[in-house]
């Protein structure tokens, strides 16, 4: 242990290596049961040294280090409320000075603290016993407070220590209670999250998550049928602390605290069990009506100031990159206010129309609507989205704009929102920011679900107009990104469309699929092809759309674009093995969905459907060894999908996907939506299934190119047994008549095996 205390390089690998080299698993068991206590003891010993070498003035770091140094691990954690109150008092009195010009700490000791924190993070949660969790939470909270307040130490190391402390705190959030340091006094929580030593996205994120989780638990405890008195007081203190500085000069950290508070309230109300009787929101503390009203009035006035600021910049043509850089902090505050307005409108959705007057919902919606036009012009002035702060602010504005309550949106407003989403999403997607894209898609999805019937009709008309425009520009290579954005947003519409509105969307499906097929025949973007298949998977897996024969033919035409001879040239340089596997899987899924969900419409389109399945069989063939030195392009047959030819043969995973498709084809359809009898459908289907057997055995009888992998042959053979089940004696005779000599031998062997091992005999 002396070595551990003196070393700065304690790692899990070193400890594990030592134990494994000793080959003494008794020691390993002891390590598991004793190591956490050992690390905690090392913390205490280290802070005993630090505390004794620090000046005796009652600074925050001094109080925290003393509380750590007197910890007794032999007994359960017994929180000394007097010490916590003293810590809180010092935080209030020295909030502005922090530990300026006080004692210093040896850099080696600071690194030891960081290394010990890394050790605690390495241990799985299961290694911590209940009492050890409480001791660890107590200790890391004090270490976190100490690292934040000890301003003379290395700022980056302190930042890492705080990040590790808060990450571990989140892991043990289930053990949080009002009898912990952060749960006993709201002032300590407020102080801790108010001081991030350097600008760090990771620390800011973890801090907000910690704050949010603690607030949720406090709100839930304060709003139960018999609330805890301490939780009620704690929550009231939080409400007062976070709304006392609502003015135009509010700091970014204060805005983050407001956002966390409102987010926690929304989460608590969403998960709250609704009673049969109407809840009195004025008397129930969980709704925090007065506080929400204050935040709403502040948000409205701030949004109006944002409009004035942006309008002034546009008037003076003052949107140069230098000005943007100089106003980074202002734009960051704008982003957080937009997030706040989004949460306010989410609060209104949760509570209902009765809260609209309290939060001035109409005025808030109007403020965002008026801001939209100058904001879009602001984005069009220069390439502002290359700046991360502007990108984040733009994302939050559109998310807030989408969250405007539908009861305050007119018909033309719906078009305005859709156009704004389309424009900004196109810009953000070009920047390739995954976080911003996710926020925008989530906001768009929420907006879709909130629309009225009339507004939904306006939305569909907007998509139809855009589809027409995309099809018109299908030969313009500069519009590839626009085509992809259309597909992504249309996919969101399909996924989040309300069931009662799908009937209206169904009437327009044919027109949209036709446009998708036209674009697929000209596009040079493999991403478009992938996204189109995802959309077709969504459409075919949902029976509520009730496809017509024409709809089915259009879907098949989209798939046939993939098999077009020009496809390899158009997508040159974009293909990989993973891309081909994904395309193959989606094609199989779409064909399988058509066979299982829309069989009544499919039976009239069987020739192109069967041709596609036959082409998929050729994706597993390989060249005979005698032709291995010949150029590949001379041995590829016409019935191989050209786009896949470079990567054939595909693997067993793809073979299993094709096998599932083959077994789906002869299955009986769902009778719920069928007009024709099951017997009639099966009879019509049986006319085409022999073609699959003919294709497979013709392929296998080819001496130069056939399927040679035993695993793949076994997978496909067992699937073809189900195809043979659907064939009559006349069908089997027809198959034989279409095969050459070697093909007949293979089919007869296949038939005998089927008869012996697979055919149903009624016994």
């Amino acid at each position: 242990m002396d070595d551990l205390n003196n070393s700065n390089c304690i790692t899990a690998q070193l400890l594990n290596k030592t134990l494994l080299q000793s080959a003494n698993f008794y020691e390993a068991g002891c390590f598991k049961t004793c190591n956490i206590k050992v690390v905690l003891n090392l913390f205490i010993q280290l802070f005993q040294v630090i505390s004794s070498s620090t000046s005796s003035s009652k600074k925050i770091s001094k109080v925290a280090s003393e509380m750590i140094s007197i910890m007794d691990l032999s007994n359960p954690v017994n929180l000394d409320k007097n010490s916590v109150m003293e810590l809180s008092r010092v935080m209030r009195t020295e909030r502005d000075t922090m530990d300026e010009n006080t004692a210093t700490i040896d850099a080696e000791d600071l690194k030891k603290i960081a290394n010990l924190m890394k050790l605690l993070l390495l241990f799985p949660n299961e290694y911590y016993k209940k009492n050890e969790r409480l001791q660890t939470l107590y200790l890391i909270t004090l270490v976190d407070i100490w690292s934040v307040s000890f301003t003379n130490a290395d700022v980056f190391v302190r930042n890492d220590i705080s990040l590790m402390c808060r990450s571990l705190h989140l892991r043990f959030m289930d053990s949080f209670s009002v009898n912990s340091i952060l749960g006993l006094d709201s002032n300590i929580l407020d102080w801790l999250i108010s001081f991030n030593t350097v600008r760090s996205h990771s620390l800011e994120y973890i801090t907000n998550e910690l704050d949010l989780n603690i607030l949720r638990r406090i709100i839930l405890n304060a709003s139960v049928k018999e609330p805890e008195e301490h939780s009620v007081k704690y929550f009231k203190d939080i409400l007062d602390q976070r709304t006392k500085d609502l003015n135009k000069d509010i700091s970014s950290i204060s805005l983050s605290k407001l956002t966390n508070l409102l987010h926690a309230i929304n989460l608590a109300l969403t998960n709250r069990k609704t009673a049969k009787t109407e809840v009195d929101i004025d008397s129930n503390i969980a709704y925090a009506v007065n506080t929400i009203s204050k935040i709403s009035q502040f948000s409205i006035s701030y949004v109006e100031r944002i409009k004035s600021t942006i309008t002034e910049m546009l008037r003076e043509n003052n949107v140069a990159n230098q000005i943007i850089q100089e106003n980074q902090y202002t734009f960051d505050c704008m982003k957080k206010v937009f997030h706040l307005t989004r949460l306010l409108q989410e609060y209104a959705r949760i509570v209902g129309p009765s809260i609209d007057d309290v939060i001035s919902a109409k005025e808030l919606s109007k403020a965002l609507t008026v801001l939209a036009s100058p904001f879009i012009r602001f984005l069009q002035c220069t390439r502002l989205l290359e700046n991360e702060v502007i990108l984040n602010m733009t994302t939050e504005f559109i998310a807030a704009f989408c969250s405007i309550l539908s009861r305050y949106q007119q018909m033309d407003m719906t078009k305005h929102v859709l156009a704004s989403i389309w424009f900004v999403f196109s810009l953000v997607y070009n920047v390739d920011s995954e976080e911003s894209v996710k926020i925008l898609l989530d906001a768009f999805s929420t907006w879709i679900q909130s629309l009225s019937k009339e507004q939904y009709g306006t939305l569909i008309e907007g998509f139809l107009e855009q589809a027409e425009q995309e099809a018109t520009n299908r030969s313009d290579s500069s519009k590839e990104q626009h085509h992809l954005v259309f597909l992504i947003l249309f996919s969101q519409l399909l996924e989040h469309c309300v069931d009662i509105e799908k009937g209206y969307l169904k009437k327009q499906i044919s027109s949209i699929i036709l446009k998708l097929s036209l674009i697929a025949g000209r596009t040079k973007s493999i991403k478009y092809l992938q996204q189109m298949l995802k959309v077709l998977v969504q459409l075919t897996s949902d029976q509520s759309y009730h496809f017509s024969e024409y709809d089915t033919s259009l879907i098949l035409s989209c798939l046939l674009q993939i098999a077009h001879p020009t496809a390899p040239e158009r997508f040159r340089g974009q293909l990989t093995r993973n891309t081909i596997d994904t395309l193959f899987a989606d094609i199989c899924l779409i064909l399988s969905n058509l066979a299982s969900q829309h069989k009544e419409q499919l039976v009239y389109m069987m020739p192109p459907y069967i041709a596609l399945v036959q082409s998929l069989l050729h994706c597993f063939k390989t060249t005979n060894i005698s032709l291995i030195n010949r150029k590949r392009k001379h041995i590829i047959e016409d019935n191989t999908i050209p786009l896949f030819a470079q990567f054939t043969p595909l693997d067993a995973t793809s073979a299993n996907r094709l096998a599932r498709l083959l077994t789906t084809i002869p299955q009986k359809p769902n009778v719920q939506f069928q007009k024709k009898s099951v017997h009639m459908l099966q009879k019509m289907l049986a006319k085409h299934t022999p073609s699959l057997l003919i294709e497979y055995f013709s392929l296998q009888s080819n001496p130069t190119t056939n399927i040679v992998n035993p695993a793949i042959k076994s997978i496909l053979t067992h699937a073809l047994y189900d195809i043979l089940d659907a064939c009559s004696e006349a069908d089997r005779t027809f198959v034989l008549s279409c095969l050459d000599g070697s093909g007949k031998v293979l089919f007869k062997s296949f038939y005998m095996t089927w008869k012996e091992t697979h055919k149903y005999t009624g016994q």
Side-chain angles (χ1 to χ4, degrees):
M1 287 299 103
D2 290 336
D3 292 337
L4 287 176
N5 198 20
N6 294 328
S7 175
N8 295 326
C9 302
I10 303 173
T11 63
Q13 291 84 351
L14 176 63
L15 294 170
N16 288 332
K17 182 179 179 181
T18 303
L19 289 172
L20 290 173
Q21 285 177 342
S22 68
N24 189 331
F25 293 99
Y26 171 75
E27 290 181 7
C30 292
F31 175 71
K32 176 180 176 180
T33 56
C34 299
N35 55 11
I36 293 173
K37 185 171 290 187
V38 169
V39 175
L40 296 180
N41 267 317
L42 291 175
F43 264 115
I44 295 171
Q45 293 170 17
L46 188 55
F47 273 94
Q48 286 172 347
V49 176
I50 293 172
S51 178
S52 63
S53 61
T54 308
S55 62
S56 59
S57 59
K58 287 291 183 180
K59 301 296 184 181
I60 300 172
S61 58
K62 177 68 174 178
V63 176
S65 61
E66 286 179 348
M67 291 175 69
I68 296 173
S69 64
I70 61 174
M71 281 184 65
D72 183 6
L73 299 180
S74 61
N75 296 316
V77 174
N78 185 16
L79 193 66
D80 184 356
K81 293 185 179 181
N82 292 330
S83 298
V84 176
M85 291 300 105
E86 172 65 14
L87 179 63
S88 177
R89 185 193 65 78
V90 175
M91 285 178 171
R92 287 194 298 271
T93 57
E94 302 191 11
R95 191 180 184 96
D96 297 327
T97 59
M98 292 291 285
D99 279 347
E100 294 179 0
N101 300 320
T102 58
T104 58
I105 183 174
D106 189 342
E108 295 300 314
D109 288 339
L110 195 64
K111 290 180 180 179
K112 286 179 183 178
I113 294 173
N115 286 330
L116 290 171
M117 278 305 309
K118 291 176 184 177
L119 270 181
L120 289 178
L121 281 169
L122 285 172
F123 300 135
N125 287 8
E126 295 76 15
Y127 276 33
Y128 290 84
K129 297 177 182 178
K130 182 179 179 180
N131 189 49
E132 288 176 337
R133 290 190 182 197
L134 297 176
Q135 291 171 336
T136 302
L137 280 173
Y138 180 84
L139 185 140
I140 63 174
T141 304
L142 292 171
V143 171
D144 192 4
I145 293 171
W146 176 87
S147 70
V148 171
S149 62
F150 210 104
T151 54
N152 281 358
D154 185 285
V155 64
F156 294 104
V157 178
R158 291 192 298 117
N159 200 62
D160 289 341
I161 291 173
S162 290
L163 180 61
M164 289 187 284
C165 289
R166 296 173 197 186
S167 298
L168 189 55
H169 207 131
L170 278 174
R171 278 173 51 183
F172 293 149
M173 187 51 65
D174 289 340
S175 301
F176 174 82
S177 74
V178 294
N179 294 319
S180 62
I181 295 178
L182 294 181
L184 193 63
D185 192 326
S186 62
N187 181 65
I188 298 179
L189 175 65
D190 186 71
W191 181 91
L192 189 62
I193 64 174
S194 297
F195 295 100
N196 287 342
T197 51
V198 294
R199 179 74 177 178
S200 167
H201 292 299
S202 54
L203 181 58
E204 184 178 6
Y205 173 79
I206 290 294
T207 301
N208 289 334
E209 283 294 306
L210 179 62
D211 186 33
L212 177 64
N213 278 274
I214 291 175
L215 290 177
R216 282 183 64 190
R217 281 161 174 77
I218 293 296
I219 294 171
L220 291 174
N221 290 339
S223 60
V224 294
K225 192 172 183 180
E226 296 180 0
E228 295 179 2
E229 183 179 346
H230 173 74
S231 296
V232 173
K233 181 181 180 304
Y234 190 105
F235 186 46
K236 287 181 178 179
D237 291 342
I238 286 287
L239 296 177
D240 292 338
Q241 290 165 357
R242 303 198 179 192
T243 54
K244 65 181 180 180
D245 294 324
L246 293 180
N247 54 61
K248 64 178 182 179
D249 299 320
I250 189 170
S251 67
S252 177
I253 290 178
S254 296
L255 285 171
S256 294
K257 292 193 290 185
L258 277 178
T259 301
N260 295 339
L261 173 62
L262 192 48
H263 192 186
I265 291 174
N266 287 349
L267 290 173
L269 294 179
T270 301
N271 299 326
R272 187 182 178 86
K273 292 183 179 179
T274 55
K276 294 182 179 180
T277 57
E278 188 174 347
V279 179
D280 184 2
I281 60 176
D282 292 322
S283 61
N284 193 312
I285 193 172
Y287 291 87
V289 174
N290 293 332
T291 299
I292 295 295
S293 179
K294 292 179 184 178
I295 296 174
S296 180
Q297 293 301 322
F298 160 76
S299 299
I300 293 171
S301 62
Y302 204 105
V303 170
E304 291 172 348
R305 282 197 299 274
I306 292 174
K307 178 181 179 296
S308 300
T309 302
I310 290 179
T311 303
E312 186 67 24
M313 293 179 71
L314 290 171
R315 184 182 300 115
E316 298 178 1
N317 196 23
N318 196 14
V319 289
N321 286 334
Q322 181 181 353
I323 301 300
I324 299 300
Q325 294 296 329
E326 292 174 357
N327 290 275
Q328 294 260 359
Y329 184 80
T330 301
F331 290 128
D332 184 59
C333 290
M334 289 180 181
K335 179 199 79 169
K336 293 180 179 180
V337 170
F338 290 143
H339 191 183
L340 204 57
T341 60
R342 177 156 58 99
L343 292 171
L344 281 168
Q345 294 180 101
E346 181 184 331
Y347 175 87
R349 284 194 186 88
I350 296 170
V351 180
S354 61
I355 204 69
D356 284 8
D357 291 337
V358 174
I359 70 166
S360 303
K362 187 174 183 179
E363 290 77 9
L364 184 60
S365 300
K366 182 179 178 181
L368 287 171
T369 304
V370 172
L371 175 61
S373 181
F375 194 90
I376 296 299
R377 284 191 287 118
F378 174 72
L379 293 178
Q380 291 172 328
C381 288
T382 58
R383 301 172 67 181
L384 299 177
L385 287 180
E386 292 181 357
N387 185 296
E388 184 180 0
V389 175
I390 298 295
L391 173 66
N392 294 335
M393 180 190 67
T394 302
T395 302
E396 283 298 343
F397 170 71
I398 293 300
F401 195 42
C402 287
S403 67
I404 294 177
L405 300 172
S406 60
R407 48 186 176 268
Y408 297 113
Q409 291 185 29
Q410 304 297 327
M411 289 300 121
D412 58 341
M413 182 62 188
T414 303
K415 291 183 178 180
H416 195 181
V417 173
L418 180 60
S420 300
I421 293 171
W422 217 293
F423 172 72
V424 174
F425 185 80
S426 299
L427 294 177
V428 171
Y429 194 80
N430 284 331
V431 178
D432 197 25
S433 171
E434 293 184 7
E435 182 180 357
S436 296
V437 167
K438 183 180 184 303
I439 291 174
L440 287 176
L441 291 180
D442 289 344
F444 182 57
S445 304
T446 303
W447 179 64
I448 290 172
Q449 297 173 65
S450 70
L451 296 178
S452 65
K453 185 176 181 180
E454 292 75 14
Q455 291 168 333
Y456 188 78
T458 303
L459 175 65
I460 298 300
E461 290 174 4
F463 268 94
L464 285 172
E465 293 172 4
Q466 189 65 31
E468 186 67 39
Q469 183 178 345
E470 298 297 334
T472 302
N473 297 326
R474 62 184 181 276
S475 299
D476 188 350
S477 59
S478 65
K479 300 294 184 181
E480 295 283 5
Q481 200 77 2
H482 292 76
H483 304 332
L484 187 57
V485 168
F486 171 80
L487 273 179
I488 293 171
L489 294 180
F490 184 62
S491 175
Q492 290 294 306
L493 175 63
L494 292 176
E495 183 177 353
H496 299 284
C497 175
V498 182
D499 288 340
I500 59 176
E501 306 296 350
K502 286 183 178 179
Y504 183 76
L505 179 58
K506 176 191 175 298
K507 298 176 184 178
Q508 316 302 330
I509 286 294
S510 300
S511 178
I512 293 177
I513 297 178
L514 176 59
K515 304 300 188 297
L516 298 184
S517 178
L518 292 173
I519 298 171
R522 295 293 184 88
T523 184
K524 296 181 179 180
S525 169
I526 196 66
K527 289 183 178 180
Y528 175 88
L529 218 57
Q530 291 175 297
Q531 189 62 41
M532 182 189 71
L533 291 180
K534 299 298 182 188
V535 168
L536 294 181
V537 168
Q538 287 179 278
L539 280 171
T540 55
S541 61
D542 193 340
Q543 272 195 330
S544 59
Y545 289 113
H546 308 310
F547 289 151
S548 64
E549 290 84 357
Y550 179 58
D551 297 333
T552 305
S553 69
L554 290 175
I555 291 174
L556 291 175
S557 73
C558 289
L559 298 182
L560 289 172
Q561 298 298 339
I562 298 174
H564 198 277
T566 63
E569 182 63 29
R570 285 189 286 130
F571 303 115
R572 184 183 301 276
Q574 302 177 59
L575 300 176
T576 64
R577 168 67 69 176
N578 289 337
T579 302
I580 294 299
D581 289 342
T582 302
L583 292 174
F584 187 91
D586 287 338
I587 292 172
C588 287
L589 186 52
I590 293 166
L591 295 175
S592 181
N593 288 340
L594 288 174
S596 60
Q597 308 289 341
H598 310 279
K599 185 160 288 182
E600 185 175 11
Q601 296 77 32
L602 180 63
V603 291
Y604 297 102
M605 302 295 158
M606 286 305 290
Y609 181 89
I610 292 296
L612 276 170
V613 179
Q614 289 174 331
S615 297
L616 296 180
L617 284 170
H618 285 264
C619 293
F620 300 94
K621 67 184 181 183
T622 190
T623 306
N624 188 286
I625 191 66
S626 62
L627 300 177
I628 198 68
N629 293 324
R630 298 181 62 179
K631 290 185 178 180
R632 193 178 185 89
K633 63 180 181 180
H634 295 308
I635 59 176
I636 294 176
E637 299 179 4
D638 293 338
N639 45 11
T640 299
I641 296 179
L643 191 63
F644 296 167
Q646 180 184 352
F647 297 91
T648 57
L650 302 185
D651 58 17
T653 302
S654 297
N656 278 310
R657 293 191 175 104
L658 179 57
R660 283 193 289 272
L661 167 60
L662 293 172
T663 57
T664 303
I665 294 173
Q667 289 177 1
K668 293 182 179 180
N670 188 335
V671 297
Q672 183 179 357
F673 301 106
Q674 305 296 341
K675 296 179 181 178
K676 294 182 174 63
S677 67
V678 173
H679 176 71
M680 177 63 71
L681 289 175
Q682 292 298 94
K683 186 176 180 181
M684 295 172 70
L685 183 71
K687 296 178 182 179
H688 302 277
T689 50
S691 300
L692 294 173
L693 295 172
I694 294 170
E695 188 70 19
Y696 177 77
F697 287 102
S698 296
L699 172 63
Q700 288 303 86
S701 63
N702 189 324
T704 58
T705 55
N706 50 47
I707 301 173
V708 298
N709 188 311
I712 292 177
K713 283 200 294 185
S714 175
I715 292 169
L716 296 179
T717 299
H718 282 82
L720 289 170
Y721 285 153
D722 288 356
I723 298 293
L724 190 58
D725 286 340
C727 296
S728 63
E729 187 64 36
D731 294 330
R732 293 192 285 271
T733 302
F734 173 69
V735 172
L736 275 173
S737 67
C738 294
L739 297 173
D740 59 15
S742 57
K744 285 182 172 65
V745 173
L746 291 173
F747 181 73
K748 288 178 180 178
S749 174
F750 169 79
Y751 173 76
M752 293 303 298
T753 306
W754 167 82
K755 191 174 182 180
E756 294 173 1
T757 63
H758 187 82
K759 182 181 178 181
Y760 177 69
T761 59
Q763 297 178 355

